Amino acid sequence: MNPGKHTNPEDSMNPGKHTNPEDSVNPGERVHALDVRGLRLHLPGAARPVLDGVDLTVAPGETVALVGESGSGKTLTSRTALGLLPTGATAEGSVLVDGEDVLTMGPDRLRALRTGRAAMIFQDPRAAINPLRRVGDFLTEGVRRTGVMTAADAGRRAAELLDAVGLGPELLRSYPGQLSGGMLQRVMIAAALMGDPVLLLADEPTTALDVTSQAEVVALLDQLRERFGTGLLFVTHDLGLAAAISDRVHVMYAGRIVEHGPAEALFERPRHPYTAALLAATPRLDSGPGRLSAIDGQPPDLRQELTGCAFAARCRYATDLCREAAPAPGPVACHHPLEGSRADD
Amino acid sequence: MTEAVLQVNGLCRTFGSVRAVDEVSFTLPAGGSLGIVGESGSGKTTTARIIVGLEQADAGEVSVRGRARTGRARGRAERLARAREVQMVFQDPFLSLDPRTSVEAVLRETLRLHFPGTDHAARIRELLDQVGLGTRASEALPRQLSGGQRQRVAIARALAVQPDVLVLDEAVAALDVSVQAQVLNLLADIRERTGVGYLFITHDLGVVRCVTDDVIVMRHGRIVESGPTSDVLDSPRHAYTRLLLESVPRPGWDPDRIAAARRAL
Amino acid sequence: MSVALTRRPGLGRLKAARAPLHLACLGIVALVVLAALLAPWVAPADPNAVDLGNALAGPSPDHLLGVDAAGRDTLSRLLLGARTSLLGPLGVVAFSTVAGVVVGLVAGWRGGWIDSVLSRSTELVFAFPGMLLAILIVSVYGEGLIAPVLALAIAYLPYVSRLTRSLVLAERMRPYVSAYRVQGHSAAQICLRHVLPNIAPIVLAQSTINFGYALMDLAGLSFLGLGVPALTPDWGRMVFDGQTAIQHGYPLSAILPCVLIVLTVVAFNVVGERWADRVARRTP
């Protein structure tokens, strides 16, 4: 299956893509699958930037989780990697996918990017897949339309990928309505891999699924990541899931990354008050029955200006400094990072 | 042993060839909290809808405080009496409120229907206070409220009827983690203060651990395991319960093993 | 991101400039309605005053827009014609909306065999072109405004009832309807107090568009000589009466009512569609 990867006809369209397998041995020269630097996104009518200085990297073969609640900007960040900016948005900074800046690309290059080097898996497979077309059409239409593969090649690859995700090739002729949610999500994963992407963006891919299907889909994503060497940006609101499957976790709040680091360390010893509060507020199997320590208040409104730390209004440890000056970005964007284990919170 | 406020016996419901609910029986003690856990297709939502009266069972009976409520409600008096027995809070915070009705109008409607002639204004203030909403919220329309606030309104509307049992159908699933925590705490407070019984339909075992005393696990329409929450979650006996518990992600998780176990079941 | 936006309503609303076309059409609608309301007091001359000696004269200080083949003042006839030209479609729209909503509501809410009976009956009416139905009824009942208005109202009913039915079907699925049922409200109360107000804006916007079509159909009927009696000033009738004027080379008394019909129909359509778009965008 893999020998085709580096002699793929689309390479001639993507001069930036590395064709030398030995590149992956030398990490210093390796091009990141995704490299976001200082991303700022402004929307008309919003008093503060919707994304305020986001930095993150995803190396090929790595799983990075982006965790946050609604309004944190996590979905926007992942959509920006594909150039899917909301209408009227203005962006600053750079978003490099496989070395090329998405924000400065023309529409043709963007289309090539979306069918080739980067692909997205959406939350609700039933909403994202046209119910009137067959599964086979859905899988092959992207690569056929951009001329990357002939129809015959596309069909063969679709069958191979369906096999890779654990489904039979006979499903090529089925309609989406005949498949369960878990199977459809796997079809979506197969479709995402059709163009041999270097970056996979998964936006809450398991939220609409049952817990047992969730485990299957996650296992699948893991296997595929190892097999194809794709980088995976996993967007979720579930800190436990993020910690369980990713190498590194970034926690977002109000458009900023408040903490990032290795998954287990973040989970065991959160250093930002928001991360700690989020963990404390999550009902867990190993916590006893009783009250959860809820976070008072709500995330800051987009129509209000924000000075200082975004979390200051709800933080137990907030000081005047927190309210006046925004903390510098870094592994923990906080004026007073927490020490000690999570159990104290 | 406290008296059972809700008794369900041998409930059956078939859709075509699929047995959505298959001989389901359980009891909810007064002031207790029972969780019904299952995945999609387990029959938990259909069971809840039958108990609430939105659907009819093919067989079996449901009774609240000894009073049977099987079959369609005939007549206004019966309809109102049943509403006073069981109320429901739905999953979708947005669509469970009429988009054109303000919060105050919603509560007033309920009070006028069930308690005509009493002081509605005072009771509305009391209800809003009970669910943690200020008086400013009373003129708001649903689209001006956040998801958590809308769920609070839905809870207030259900409580306004003063039901014996409150059915919560994935009532916190659509909320953010921090909001979910607030609402779960609120529900615990309300149960303590009013002694209403909860029927918690959910797929989230963490929520079950947090708010329920007893739990039943459903799969393909049947109950596969039941008992006190701590017993079932700490020492599950059925393979499916074990699978559900292992499917909860945590550090050190092995999704491959779970996927294999699922296929084996 | 869209989840955050729906919690902050002020953000997404586009502050687009009001299209000049829409404003112009709104102005036309307002003018026509005003003319219809104030006609008896504003018309400079008796619209039925015949003056054969002055037939087909061009515009003059006495007759600002000229006279028709029978010497009647065109301007006065246009102003008074606005009344019948608007009254007829109003009747059509009012009756078809009320009856259509009732039929659609019952069919959508109850379902089952009632739905089948009502839907199949309205589909039968669909099969008849409205104009032909109107002509048929007028030929049976003779001239007058009532017969064609009722006929057209029946012809338009299926459009309203089908729209209402699908809206009701969608609303019925929504959790708030279930919530009200659980609360103990009766089906009738839920329908009237909650479902109907939620679907009303869409249905009314559609009815505004139907107004334009009804105007056209009624004018067409009058043009064919079926419809308003001969002496009543009515735009369609004026076009019919103006046929001789055109043949004689003085087309003003025929063209002006045509122009007014077209303008009014377009204006109502634009306003109605704009309303429908706004309602659709506002609907959650």
Side-chain angles (χ1 to χ4, degrees):
Chain A
M1 187 93 215
N2 260 341
K5 177 170 169 138
H6 296 293
T7 53
N8 198 310
E10 63 173 335
D11 282 350
S12 55
M13 286 170 59
N14 305 338
K17 178 167 177 164
H18 59 275
T19 52
N20 192 339
E22 272 134 29
D23 275 351
S24 54
V25 173
N26 190 341
E29 280 183 24
R30 191 172 56 183
V31 175
H32 282 300
L34 176 66
D35 192 352
V36 179
R37 295 182 198 160
L39 176 63
R40 251 179 198 86
L41 202 65
H42 300 268
L43 277 182
R48 62 174 168 86
V50 169
L51 290 180
D52 199 358
V54 173
D55 297 291
L56 63 85
T57 57
V58 179
E62 199 186 11
T63 302
V64 172
L66 193 51
V67 179
E69 300 181 290
S70 49
S72 58
K74 61 189 192 302
T75 300
L76 252 191
T77 308
S78 68
R79 292 177 91 101
T80 309
L82 282 181
L84 290 171
L85 300 174
T87 358
T90 44
E92 293 163 28
S94 65
V95 176
L96 302 167
V97 174
D98 203 24
E100 256 192 83
D101 192 353
V102 165
L103 297 176
T104 55
M105 270 190 200
D108 288 331
R109 296 287 297 159
L110 263 182
R111 210 173 302 132
L113 174 87
R114 289 169 191 161
T115 45
R117 284 173 292 157
M120 189 165 226
I121 301 164
F122 295 91
Q123 175 175 341
D124 187 0
R126 284 205 194 278
I129 302 181
N130 186 348
L132 295 178
R133 306 289 303 277
R134 293 182 204 269
V135 167
D137 290 329
F138 173 68
L139 287 171
T140 53
E141 64 187 348
V143 289
R144 270 187 299 138
R145 257 169 222 285
T146 49
V148 167
M149 286 185 204
T150 61
D153 283 337
R156 264 194 297 273
R157 185 159 168 89
E160 282 169 2
L161 283 173
L162 275 185
D163 183 63
V165 300
L167 298 171
E170 67 277 0
L171 288 180
L172 284 172
R173 300 202 48 78
S174 312
Y175 284 93
Q178 297 166 303
L179 306 181
S180 73
M183 290 164 85
L184 262 185
Q185 193 59 293
R186 288 196 249 171
V187 165
M188 179 128 74
I189 293 173
L193 291 170
M194 279 294 287
D196 202 12
V198 106
L199 176 67
L200 254 188
L201 302 148
D203 190 0
E204 309 246 27
T206 55
T207 309
L209 302 176
D210 290 325
V211 269
T212 52
S213 305
Q214 173 175 277
E216 285 198 337
V217 167
V218 166
L220 181 64
L221 280 173
D222 219 30
Q223 280 168 27
L224 294 171
R225 187 178 51 84
E226 279 184 32
R227 184 167 160 183
F228 295 103
T230 351
L232 176 61
L233 181 67
F234 197 98
V235 175
T236 178
H237 64 275
D238 187 339
L239 198 46
L241 177 63
I245 65 168
S246 55
D247 304 314
R248 284 183 296 125
V249 176
H250 294 253
V251 180
M252 278 190 83
Y253 184 78
R256 299 177 188 168
I257 298 202
V258 297
E259 185 171 359
H260 68 89
E264 272 195 49
L266 201 130
F267 199 73
E268 290 298 311
R269 281 173 304 281
R271 300 190 59 215
H272 194 282
Y274 174 64
T275 317
L278 204 58
L279 282 168
T282 313
R284 292 160 46 81
L285 268 184
D286 50 4
S287 55
R291 301 289 190 275
L292 298 160
S293 44
I295 319 176
D296 286 327
Q298 288 173 18
D301 198 306
L302 268 176
R303 289 167 294 184
Q304 280 174 327
E305 294 233 1
L306 199 55
T307 41
C309 175
F311 191 57
R314 305 167 78 186
C315 181
R316 290 220 293 240
Y317 314 98
T319 61
D320 285 329
L321 174 62
C322 299
R323 282 180 269 272
E324 284 159 27
V332 187
C334 184
H335 292 299
H336 45 73
L338 302 172
E339 308 295 330
S341 105
R342 185 174 57 78
D344 294 342
D345 262 325
Chain B
M1 171 76 186
T2 42
E3 171 214 341
V5 68
L6 171 69
Q7 199 131 16
V8 173
N9 269 323
L11 224 50
C12 290
R13 178 85 167 100
T14 316
F15 291 109
S17 59
V18 175
R19 289 192 167 204
V21 181
D22 199 356
E23 295 287 330
V24 167
S25 310
F26 59 83
T27 318
L28 174 66
S33 173
L34 173 68
I36 304 187
V37 176
E39 305 186 290
S40 51
S42 58
K44 60 190 197 299
T45 303
T46 313
T47 307
R49 289 175 71 92
I50 292 174
I51 292 173
V52 154
L54 286 172
E55 286 189 32
Q56 306 303 318
D58 296 331
E61 51 178 47
V62 178
S63 51
V64 173
R65 291 204 187 281
R67 209 173 145 271
R69 47 185 285 140
T70 347
R72 288 193 187 280
R74 301 241 164 263
R76 188 170 186 269
E78 177 67 19
R79 216 176 50 224
L80 291 180
R82 288 203 184 176
R84 303 264 327 251
E85 288 166 359
V86 185
Q87 278 298 311
M88 186 155 169
V89 176
F90 296 80
Q91 174 173 1
D92 185 341
F94 192 43
L95 291 177
S96 60
L97 298 175
D98 181 350
R100 309 183 128 244
T101 319
S102 72
V103 170
E104 202 213 333
V106 165
L107 296 175
R108 194 178 287 277
E109 243 180 336
T110 311
L111 292 174
R112 221 184 291 158
L113 181 65
H114 287 274
F115 307 107
T118 56
D119 183 2
H120 294 163
R123 178 80 177 122
I124 290 176
R125 270 196 303 275
E126 196 187 324
L127 283 167
L128 288 178
D129 193 48
Q130 213 177 5
V131 298
L133 285 174
T135 40
R136 250 184 320 144
S138 58
E139 284 106 49
L141 287 175
R143 64 168 176 269
Q144 295 161 321
L145 301 173
S146 70
Q149 289 171 316
R150 287 182 214 131
Q151 276 308 52
R152 289 171 198 259
V153 174
I155 294 171
R157 176 179 60 186
L159 289 178
V161 178
Q162 290 171 0
D164 298 316
V165 177
L166 189 55
V167 176
L168 297 128
D169 187 5
E170 304 266 22
V172 292
L175 303 174
D176 279 330
V177 169
S178 50
V179 181
Q180 177 179 272
Q182 293 173 353
V183 174
L184 287 175
N185 286 350
L186 172 69
L187 287 169
D189 288 337
I190 291 174
R191 180 159 74 104
E192 230 168 74
R193 254 183 283 150
T194 62
V196 64
Y198 284 161
L199 200 59
F200 238 102
I201 320 287
T202 179
H203 65 277
D204 189 336
L205 289 172
V207 169
V208 166
R209 165 76 85 181
C210 184
V211 291
T212 62
D213 304 327
D214 303 290
V215 67
I216 63 178
V217 181
M218 284 186 71
R219 183 179 188 237
H220 295 330
R222 309 194 68 112
I223 298 182
V224 297
E225 189 160 354
S226 60
T229 305
S230 40
D231 287 351
V232 172
L233 293 185
D234 291 332
S235 8
R237 271 166 296 159
H238 195 279
Y240 180 66
T241 318
R242 274 197 291 272
L243 176 63
L244 276 184
L245 283 164
E246 277 167 28
S247 302
V248 177
R250 54 176 155 256
W253 193 45
D254 187 2
D256 285 312
R257 205 164 43 87
I258 298 166
R262 183 173 191 246
R263 282 190 288 271
L265 253 187
Chain C
M1 182 61 207
S2 57
V3 177
L5 280 178
T6 50
R7 288 201 291 157
R8 296 160 173 84
L11 186 58
R13 213 178 333 138
L14 294 167
K15 307 250 198 278
R18 309 198 78 193
L21 175 67
H22 177 241
L23 280 177
C25 289
L26 210 51
I28 292 176
V29 168
L31 268 175
V32 171
V33 170
L34 263 180
L37 286 174
L38 300 176
W41 297 278
V42 174
D46 178 5
N48 285 323
V50 173
D51 183 6
L52 287 168
N54 201 20
L56 296 178
S60 65
D62 277 340
H63 303 283
L64 287 170
L65 292 176
V67 293
D68 68 359
R72 296 174 288 200
D73 177 30
T74 306
L75 178 58
S76 311
R77 288 193 68 102
L78 283 178
L79 285 173
L80 268 147
R83 294 195 136 193
T84 19
S85 302
L86 289 187
L87 201 62
L90 190 65
V92 171
V93 163
F95 182 75
S96 62
T97 306
V98 168
V101 164
V102 168
V103 169
L105 198 61
V106 171
W109 185 263
R110 295 299 299 273
W113 64 269
I114 296 183
D115 184 14
S116 303
V117 165
L118 287 172
S119 295
R120 300 295 91 77
S121 321
T122 48
E123 276 157 29
L124 267 179
V125 179
F126 255 141
F128 277 89
M131 280 289 273
L132 287 185
L133 190 62
I135 293 174
L136 179 70
I137 295 192
V138 168
S139 60
V140 170
Y141 287 103
E143 276 191 344
L145 204 51
I146 305 290
V149 164
L150 276 183
L152 278 179
I154 293 176
Y156 281 34
L157 193 156
Y159 293 94
V160 180
S161 77
R162 263 168 75 113
L163 178 63
T164 311
R165 178 179 173 275
S166 44
L167 289 172
V168 167
L169 282 178
E171 285 299 296
R172 210 176 55 153
M173 293 290 119
R174 299 203 162 179
Y176 76 83
V177 173
S178 307
Y180 280 119
R181 279 175 61 192
V182 172
Q183 290 254 292
H185 295 272
S186 71
Q189 279 173 319
I190 302 175
C191 259
L192 288 174
R193 262 195 271 155
H194 296 280
V195 175
L196 206 50
N198 272 303
I199 66 175
I202 304 179
V203 175
L204 288 178
Q206 176 68 44
S207 290
T208 315
I209 300 174
N210 284 347
F211 190 96
Y213 291 124
L215 212 170
M216 202 110 101
D217 283 341
L218 277 175
L221 275 178
S222 299
F223 172 76
L224 290 175
L226 316 161
V228 290
L231 285 181
T232 326
D234 172 84
W235 293 343
R237 189 79 200 191
M238 286 168 75
V239 179
F240 173 68
D241 291 337
Q243 288 177 83
T244 38
I246 295 181
Q247 285 165 357
H248 285 272
Y250 299 94
L252 204 59
S253 63
I255 289 186
L256 283 176
C258 269
V259 166
L260 272 182
I261 292 172
V262 168
L263 274 181
T264 315
V265 169
V266 167
F268 268 95
N269 272 15
V270 167
V271 169
E273 279 182 13
R274 170 87 172 212
W275 184 16
D277 282 345
R278 277 183 55 200
V279 167
R281 240 185 279 140
R282 240 194 291 141
T283 314

